[in-house]
Amino acid sequence: MEAHLYKHKFAHYILIIVGTILMAVSVNVVYEPLEMVTGGLSGLAIVIKKVTGVFIEGGIPLWITNLLLNIPLFITAVIVRGKTFVKHALFAEVSFTIALALVPTTFHFVGQDYLLAAVFGGVIGGTGIGLVFAANASTGGTDLLAMIIHKFKPYYTVPRILTVIDGLVVIIGIISFGITKALYAIIAVYISAKISDSILEGLKFAKMAYIISDEYDRIAQKIMEQLDRGVTGISATGMYSNKDKKMLFCVVSKKEIVELKELVAEVDPKAFIIVSDAREVMGEGFREYRQ
């Protein structure tokens, strides 16, 4: 069992490393040379490099800006959400920063073709983001900032907050580099989102899971504590054993389903889990009801 969990964790770290390298390639090789601001702290870093180029030859490198902007975010996240919450995100952020520092910025395979840059940048970056999300991690940045804000403003969903933050970064890009480049950047963002969604098993909004186990109490407690998700116990009877038991039902995000399965297997390797797609979920932690 321990060897099985070790292999899963090792695979997660490999996904994060490969994903962050691809993200760095999209930023260093495609977006930064053409001054395309696609949102996020990496987009803000592109603007800062351009502005500081007046005072410093070549401007402040992207990896330095990305690192410096993330430090206060991670400190705040640890205080607000706890160490467990930022564990994977911290590894992904360090990996992304190192990749930004190492991926060469001199190789520009798309030339000055902005449409080609938007397509290939979106595909490469989206694949990287999808792999990182598949490992149940994020690279911090505006994602982390949105989660922190959500903690204090729970009536706004994380995607809504993230959209506003990234929108502001894009507006800064418009002011710095002009609206034409920003429009191509928006195309890149759209393609990136579609690619990352397809990697995370497509267009489904969430996953719902039914869990059958004699250890339902311990499993439910872990789900509520580690995933911060609600769990419903449904009375059920095993027709073979003729024993009454609880069947657990819960809904989690696409990124959390991997962690949920590992959590259940850790408590009870013989547990029976049924996972299916939820087309739409309304309520706390997901899409809020509209008034």
Side-chain angles (χ1 to χ4, degrees):
M1 181 61 189
E2 289 183 1
H4 177 70
L5 290 175
Y6 176 80
K7 288 181 180 179
H8 268 289
K9 290 181 179 179
F10 181 75
H12 283 185
Y13 289 127
I14 293 298
L15 284 177
I16 291 172
I17 292 171
V18 174
T20 51
I21 289 174
L22 290 175
M23 291 170 62
V25 168
S26 69
V27 173
N28 282 0
V29 178
V30 181
Y31 299 144
E32 193 274 329
L34 296 181
E35 299 176 336
M36 294 173 61
V37 178
T38 56
L41 292 190
S42 59
L44 190 58
I46 293 173
V47 175
I48 292 175
K49 182 177 181 180
K50 174 71 173 181
V51 173
T52 56
V54 179
F55 312 101
I56 304 172
E57 185 177 355
I60 298 176
L62 302 185
W63 71 270
I64 292 179
T65 302
N66 184 74
L67 178 63
L68 292 178
L69 291 177
N70 267 291
I71 288 174
L73 287 179
F74 274 93
I75 293 174
T76 305
V78 169
I79 296 172
V80 174
R81 303 298 297 264
K83 294 180 181 178
T84 303
F85 178 79
V86 299
K87 182 174 64 175
H88 280 173
L90 181 59
F91 178 82
E93 168 53 29
V94 171
S95 177
F96 182 50
T97 300
I98 293 173
L100 282 175
L102 297 180
V103 171
T105 58
T106 54
F107 177 64
H108 307 153
F109 66 90
V110 295
Q112 294 296 312
D113 191 325
Y114 284 92
L115 183 58
L116 200 62
V119 172
F120 277 92
V123 171
I124 296 170
T127 302
I129 293 170
L131 292 177
V132 172
F133 282 174
N136 194 39
S138 76
T139 56
T142 51
D143 285 358
L144 198 58
L145 179 58
M147 292 175 186
I148 293 171
I149 294 174
H150 177 70
K151 181 71 175 180
F152 297 100
K153 304 288 184 180
Y155 38 85
Y156 294 119
T157 62
V158 172
R160 189 180 300 177
I161 297 170
L162 186 59
T163 299
V164 173
I165 296 172
D166 283 343
L168 292 174
V169 175
V170 171
I171 290 173
I172 294 173
I174 292 174
I175 296 172
S176 303
F177 304 121
I179 192 169
T180 300
K181 294 179 180 179
L183 291 175
Y184 282 109
I186 291 172
I187 295 174
V189 171
Y190 177 81
I191 294 173
S192 178
K194 289 297 182 182
I195 295 295
S196 61
D197 271 348
S198 66
I199 290 176
L200 290 170
E201 296 186 312
L203 308 174
K204 311 299 184 294
F205 185 83
K207 298 287 186 179
M208 56 183 181
Y210 292 93
I211 305 163
I212 302 173
S213 169
D214 292 333
E215 301 291 337
Y216 56 84
D217 275 330
R218 290 175 58 202
I219 293 173
Q221 194 65 30
K222 278 185 170 289
I223 292 173
M224 290 186 288
E225 289 178 355
Q226 296 185 23
L227 295 182
D228 195 24
R229 291 294 186 188
V231 185
T232 300
I234 302 173
S235 297
T237 302
M239 299 307 295
Y240 181 79
S241 63
N242 201 32
K243 291 182 178 179
D244 293 332
K245 60 177 67 179
K246 293 287 187 182
M247 178 173 63
L248 302 180
F249 170 76
C250 65
V251 179
V252 297
S253 68
K254 294 177 291 185
K255 292 190 295 181
E256 293 169 329
I257 191 62
V258 176
E259 187 175 353
L260 174 68
K261 290 188 286 187
E262 289 183 353
L263 183 152
V264 173
E266 185 178 342
V267 176
D268 182 8
K270 297 181 180 180
F272 194 74
I273 308 175
I274 303 170
V275 179
S276 60
D277 296 313
R279 297 296 298 180
E280 186 173 14
V281 182
M282 306 289 288
E284 184 178 354
F286 292 94
R287 185 178 175 186
E288 303 292 338
Y289 288 100
R290 293 183 178 180
Q291 301 296 329

